[in-house]
């Protein structure tokens, strides 16, 4: 095991476990002032990097992390989801100009283990798992036999297992579906580890600087999905490139025991905390499709523009025949777009051009201070394109725009 010193501040006199920061103040208005005071403290800490990847097997979850953020002023739902830090506009601004840290522990984590795990997921989803190696990752899509979308999953290939991160709404469905397709001779085990882990993401242009300051700069600039394992205070942490909503930023899968210390250390580097309310707005602004909204049995994986998650020639897998026909016969009839709207709009509203129905709005979000309005929705291929004007509902004007998540999607690979 190699010990990697991680400098959280510039003063070297502190001892090695200054993960233990005091609880941040309740009033969100004091975040910046308090963090500057923390930076002036003498502190450093260390991360132990495993010489060989470990297999995540954390202890049962406790509530120390939620207690930590609640005492700092967070509003938490009855389901244990951090809804807001009363700073939604500040957090959305930091996405563009700084860095935010988001607790996505309510998202599902599924552990797929056993000797046949790679071939199994290769056959059950759209990505080519057989071309990946330990320490790499990818996005893959779970679809129905007719290629209708269930959810996007982010996958990490570890030494003894593959970890999938999925949406909160689909974790149980996907777990049950995967178990259903395990045959008698398959050496595969499926485990929902959501309640045994915590999951944070870093978003924003200064995410890399935070990693550098924490002496984790080796991950900066690595391909999407690259991940490494560490120990923090003898607790397992996996850190990967990408943050669900984009190929930039970083994701951290931690044990519950390490979560409070890691969260506080990231805040000390200047990250702004973001709750799920602002995250849901960001999802729509950035164009990341979600189950029940853009990912339903009404739309197929190619209409959702999830090109980067699809491999064409990897062999037989669920939905493959339909996907091949759609491409071969140019059968994609509609596609997902973003919209800049003139006013608030209701998801499900009809989209029209020249009085003719051409699509449907699937998601809506207001921007900072409610001054801007954003949406996602499907439009027939020939009806409108980027820059065109459409009508949403009765009289809301919308401009068709390309959104970041969809613009980073690339045509299906031939591998």
């Amino acid at each position: 095991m190699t010990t990697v010193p991680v400098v959280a501040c510039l003063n070297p006199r502190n001892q090695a476990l200054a993960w233990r920061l005091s609880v941040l103040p309740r009033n969100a208005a004091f975040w910046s002032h308090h963090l500057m005071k923390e930076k002036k403290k003498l502190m450093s800490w260390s991360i132990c990097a495993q010489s060989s990847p470990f297999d995540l097997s954390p202890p049962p979850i406790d509530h120390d992390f939620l207690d930590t953020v609640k005492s700092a002023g967070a509003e938490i739902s009855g389901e244990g989801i951090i809804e807001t830090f009363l700073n939604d506009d500040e957090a959305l601004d930091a996405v563009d100009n700084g860095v935010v840290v988001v607790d996505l522990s309510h998202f599902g984590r599924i552990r797929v283990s056993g000797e046949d795990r790679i071939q199994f997921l290769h056959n059950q989803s759209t990505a080519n798992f057989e071309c990946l190696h330990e320490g790499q990752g990818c996005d893959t899509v779970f679809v129905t036999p007719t290629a209708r979308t269930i959810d996007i999953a982010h996958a990490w290939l570890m030494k003894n297992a593959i970890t999938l991160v999925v949406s909160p709404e689909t974790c149980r469905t996907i777990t049950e579906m995967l178990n259903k397709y395990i045959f008698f001779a398959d050496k595969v085990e499926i485990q929902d580890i959501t309640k045994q882990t915590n999951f944070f993401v870093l978003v924003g242009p200064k995410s890399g600087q935070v990693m550098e300051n924490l002496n984790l700069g080796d991950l900066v600039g690595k391909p999407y999905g690259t991940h490494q394992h560490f120990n923090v205070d003898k607790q397992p942490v996996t850190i990967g490139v990408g943050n669900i909503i984009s190929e930039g930023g970083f994701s951290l899968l931690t044990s519950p025991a390490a979560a409070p210390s890691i969260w506080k250390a990231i805040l000390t580097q200047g990250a702004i905390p973001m709750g799920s309310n602002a995250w849901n707005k960001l999802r729509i602004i950035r164009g990341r499709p979600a189950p029940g909204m853009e990912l339903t049995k009404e739309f197929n994986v190619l209409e959702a523009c999830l090109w980067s998650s699809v491999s064409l020639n990897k062999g037989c897998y669920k939905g493959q025949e339909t996907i091949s026909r759609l491409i071969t016969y140019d059968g994609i009839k509609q596609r997902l777009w973003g919209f800049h709207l003139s006013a608030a709009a209701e998801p499900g509203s009809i989209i029209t051009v020249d009085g003719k129905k051409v699509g449907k709005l699937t998601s809506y979000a207001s921007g900072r201070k409610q001054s801007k309005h954003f949406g996602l929705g499907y439009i027939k291929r020939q009806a409108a394109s980027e820059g065109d004007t459409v009508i949403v509902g009765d009289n809301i004007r919308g401009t068709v725009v390309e959104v970041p998540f969809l613009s980073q999607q690339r045509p299906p690979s031939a591998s």
Side-chain angles (χ1 to χ4, degrees), residues 87-97 100 274 278-279 281-282 285 366-368:
N87 67 341
D88 290 358
D89 287 346
E90 179 188 10
L92 288 170
D93 183 67
V95 168
D96 295 327
N97 304 301
V100 299
M274 172 183 277
W279 172 263
K281 289 185 177 185
L282 181 62
I285 294 169
S366 60
R368 303 177 188 87

Side-chain angles (χ1 to χ4, degrees), residues 344-362:
E346 191 70 25
S349 297
I350 299 302
I351 299 173
T352 59
V353 173
D354 296 331
K356 297 180 180 180
K357 178 182 175 181
V358 297
K360 182 175 74 171
L361 190 74
T362 53

Side-chain angles (χ1 to χ4, degrees), residues 95-96 203 245-246 282-288 403-406:
V95 168
D96 295 327
V203 187
I245 213 164
S246 73
L282 181 62
R283 176 193 77 78
I284 296 168
I285 294 169
R286 290 293 180 92
R288 211 269 194 183
V403 282
F405 183 86
L406 299 180

Side-chain angles (χ1 to χ4, degrees), residues 4-10 19 39 45-47 98-102 156 200-223 225-230 232 237-243 247-254 262-263 265-271:
V4 182
V6 185
V7 179
C9 287
L10 298 178
W19 281 99
K39 282 191 174 184
W45 40 274
S46 65
I47 285 180
V99 56
V100 299
V101 57
V102 194
W156 282 341
F200 304 150
V201 296
L202 293 176
V203 187
K206 295 184 179 179
S207 297
Q209 187 59 55
V210 170
M211 299 296 285
E212 295 279 3
N213 292 346
L214 298 179
N215 204 26
L216 296 167
D218 286 348
L219 284 169
V220 177
K222 292 294 180 63
T226 301
H227 57 279
Q228 295 180 15
H229 305 296
F230 304 94
V232 174
V237 180
T238 301
I239 304 176
V241 178
N243 55 29
E247 294 184 358
F250 300 90
S251 301
L252 297 92
L253 180 67
T254 82
I262 293 173
W263 180 266
I266 292 171
L267 291 181
T268 303
Q269 296 303 319

